[in-house]
């Protein structure tokens, strides 16, 4: 085991992610290494998943219904859910769909978005599918994978900026994945600033300009259900949706995840509470860090469920990561995967558990 692979990741074949340390902490308090919702899992959805265990002697529905329709109505409440549902695919986590969409793109070069770094699973999937990695500015790449809002940097582009970037930097034939897993945190109007809504634009871009934009969402963050595995993708056209669907194994979303999804989509109160508490906890954490660690720089949009913290010094950062883990409040180091060893990512959490993290970091106050 190395400090960096948490004893669980096979670094020769897998990408490092947070979220593994908690099980090895005897004194575990809270997982600050992931970007999940600080409210915890929505209770009604959890109850639905537990109840669904009684159905495990049956196959899940092969059409993922009624969960697929429930998600379509959640995504397009203003109308058009019936038509747009024909573009929607559910997956065993966004991870399954990231891999599937990438595998149907024309092999060649892939490029990330222009942010300083981004979620690394796109690199792994692209390399596994035979793509070589090129610079964000290389417009000859036929695959562009962007993350907006960007995990871990916390950068956020409004929808018009994302559309402009795609229109201006993609050549004909490019497959584009925009990962909007963190978009629902924006607030009650999150859909208005999302590419999920931009159906006419995406279809025209695909049919007229040959630029195929897929909108990816992991639902395991906003609904804090990383164990259940739940993601979706919206295809630019029905034909492309079908091309990917034809490559998907049957029943990849299990019965517990499907029932969880239906219940979560119906839980408007949980999202209202999320939009109320997350920006407050985010601002409080920033204020606490600014007071205790004035030399550290905190990055990220104020509505997000995590902070991206630059300590300015790799040794200080390694000490912060070690101290947090020892106190039962693990954070995500920026070293493995992102290769940014002065940074760590910390989830936004309520005062009771945040206090434990701040106490663990306190001895580093003048570093
Ligand atoms: C931006 C982003 N996309 C996708 C994923 C993968 O999500 P899932 O758990 O649904 O496979 C993550 C997980 O950390 C993520 O941060």
């Amino acid at each position: 085991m190395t400090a960096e692979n948490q004893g669980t990741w096979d670094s020769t074949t897998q990408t490092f992610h947070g979220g593994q340390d908690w099980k090895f902490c005897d004194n575990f308090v809270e997982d600050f290494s992931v970007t999940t919702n600080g409210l915890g899992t929505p209770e009604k959805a959890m109850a639905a998943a537990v109840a669904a265990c009684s159905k495990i002697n049956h196959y899940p529905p092969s059409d993922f219904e009624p969960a697929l329709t429930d998600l379509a109505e959640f995504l397009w409440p203003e109308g058009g859910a019936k038509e747009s549902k024909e573009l929607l695919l559910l997956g065993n986590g966004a991870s399954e769909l990231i891999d599937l969409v990438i595998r149907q793109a024309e092999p060649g070069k892939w490029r990330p978005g222009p942010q300083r770094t981004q979620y690394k699973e796109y690199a792994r999937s692209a390399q596994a599918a035979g793509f070589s990695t090129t610079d964000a500015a290389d417009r000859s790449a036929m695959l562009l994978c962007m993350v907006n809002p960007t995990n871990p940097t916390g950068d956020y582009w409004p929808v018009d900026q994302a559309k402009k970037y795609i229109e201006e930097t993609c050549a004909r034939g490019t497959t584009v994945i925009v990962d909007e897993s963190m978009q629902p945190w924006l607030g009650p109007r999150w859909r208005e600033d999302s590419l999920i809504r931009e159906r006419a634009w995406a279809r025209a871009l695909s049919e007229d300009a040959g630029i195929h934009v897929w909108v990816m969402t992991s639902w395991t963050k906003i609904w804090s259900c990383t164990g259940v595995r739940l993601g979706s993708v919206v295809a630019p056209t029905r034909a492309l949706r079908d091309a990917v669907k034809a490559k998907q194994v049957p029943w990849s979303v299990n019965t517990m995840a499907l029932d969880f999804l239906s219940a979560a989509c119906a839980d408007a109160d949980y999202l209202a509470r999320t939009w109320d508490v997350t920006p407050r906890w985010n601002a409080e954490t920033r204020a606490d860090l600014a007071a205790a660690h004035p030399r550290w720089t905190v990055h990220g949009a104020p509505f997000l469920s995590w902070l991206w913290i630059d300590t300015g010094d790799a040794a200080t950062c390694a000490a912060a990561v070690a101290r947090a883990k020892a106190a039962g409040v693990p954070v995500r180091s920026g070293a493995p995967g992102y290769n940014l060893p002065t940074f760590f990512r910390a989830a936004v959490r309520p005062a009771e558990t945040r206090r434990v993290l701040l106490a663990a970091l306190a001895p580093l106050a003048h570093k």
Side-chain angles (χ1 to χ4, degrees):
M1 184 201 291
T2 68
E4 292 205 340
N5 77 1
Q6 304 164 318
T8 60
W9 298 108
D10 173 357
S11 58
T12 55
T13 59
Q14 293 182 304
T15 308
F16 178 94
H17 296 284
Q20 297 291 317
D21 279 334
W22 68 276
K23 224 166 65 177
F24 304 107
C25 294
D26 294 338
N27 55 348
F28 178 70
V29 177
E30 172 62 290
D31 195 353
F32 283 81
S33 76
V34 288
T35 56
T36 52
N37 194 324
L39 280 178
T41 314
E43 281 172 25
K44 289 179 198 155
M46 175 75 98
V50 170
C53 291
S54 67
K55 296 189 274 183
I56 60 172
N57 57 326
H58 299 289
Y59 275 103
S62 59
D63 58 3
F64 295 151
E65 291 294 3
L68 187 70
T69 296
D70 293 338
L71 181 62
E73 283 168 0
F74 173 80
L75 295 178
W76 294 285
E78 72 285 358
K82 196 158 178 271
E83 300 74 47
S84 297
K85 191 180 79 170
E86 304 301 319
L87 306 171
L88 189 61
L89 273 177
L90 290 184
N92 192 264
S95 302
E96 183 199 12
L97 299 168
I98 290 170
D99 208 60
L100 276 176
V101 174
I102 286 177
R103 281 176 198 278
Q104 67 77 49
E106 276 300 307
K109 291 188 281 186
W110 89 278
R111 64 179 164 120
Q115 287 74 21
R116 184 168 184 186
T117 191
Q118 68 178 43
Y119 181 65
K120 285 288 169 184
E121 203 57 35
Y122 289 94
R124 190 207 59 80
S125 280
Q127 282 152 14
F131 287 84
S132 60
T133 306
T134 188
D135 198 74
D138 183 351
R139 296 176 182 203
S140 69
M142 286 293 121
L143 175 63
L144 163 64
C145 303
M146 298 168 54
V147 183
N148 185 47
T150 310
N151 175 20
T153 64
D155 293 303
Y156 180 59
W157 281 2
V159 70
D160 287 340
Q161 193 176 351
K163 284 166 68 178
K164 188 162 179 279
Y165 184 80
I166 292 165
E167 288 164 3
E168 290 179 355
T169 74
C170 294
R172 176 170 281 277
T174 307
T175 292
V176 181
I177 303 177
V178 183
D179 186 323
E180 288 195 355
S181 300
M182 310 306 183
Q183 179 71 14
W185 262 281
L186 183 63
R189 306 180 77 135
W190 68 273
R191 296 172 185 83
E192 291 170 30
D193 212 31
S194 166
L195 287 173
I196 288 176
R197 243 206 185 179
E198 298 288 327
R199 289 308 86 217
W201 172 80
R203 188 176 54 250
L205 203 64
S206 179
E207 290 173 354
D208 303 340
I211 300 168
H212 313 295
V213 180
W214 298 75
V215 191
M216 187 70 64
T217 309
S218 164
W219 296 106
T220 65
K221 310 302 182 298
I222 189 85
W223 288 324
S224 192
C225 60
T226 45
V228 91
R229 321 299 306 123
L230 204 46
S232 67
V233 71
V234 182
T237 63
R238 171 77 195 259
L240 283 167
R241 197 281 308 253
D242 287 352
V244 166
K245 192 175 175 186
K247 294 199 165 85
Q248 187 175 34
V249 297
W251 315 294
S252 68
V253 187
N254 67 50
T255 308
M256 284 66 74
L258 290 171
D259 285 11
F260 181 99
L261 178 57
S262 290
C265 287
D267 195 345
D269 174 60
Y270 176 84
L271 284 183
R273 283 189 292 129
T274 299
W275 297 321
D276 175 31
V277 297
T278 311
R280 276 201 276 130
W281 292 341
N282 183 311
E284 287 164 13
T285 315
R286 281 169 196 271
D288 290 345
L289 284 168
H293 305 278
R295 292 189 204 167
W296 295 3
T297 315
V298 179
H299 300 265
F303 60 87
L304 291 171
S305 60
W306 77 90
L307 301 172
W308 181 231
I309 300 154
D310 187 3
T311 64
D313 175 67
T316 303
C317 190
V321 172
R323 293 193 65 85
K325 185 174 172 183
V329 283
V331 295
R332 201 296 192 198
S333 164
Y338 299 125
N339 201 20
L340 292 169
T342 67
F343 285 80
F344 70 93
R345 189 186 66 200
V348 162
R349 295 289 183 252
E352 308 86 72
T353 52
R354 195 165 67 227
R355 221 172 277 132
V356 181
L357 177 62
L358 287 160
L361 301 178
L364 305 171
H366 300 296
K367 303 260 170 69

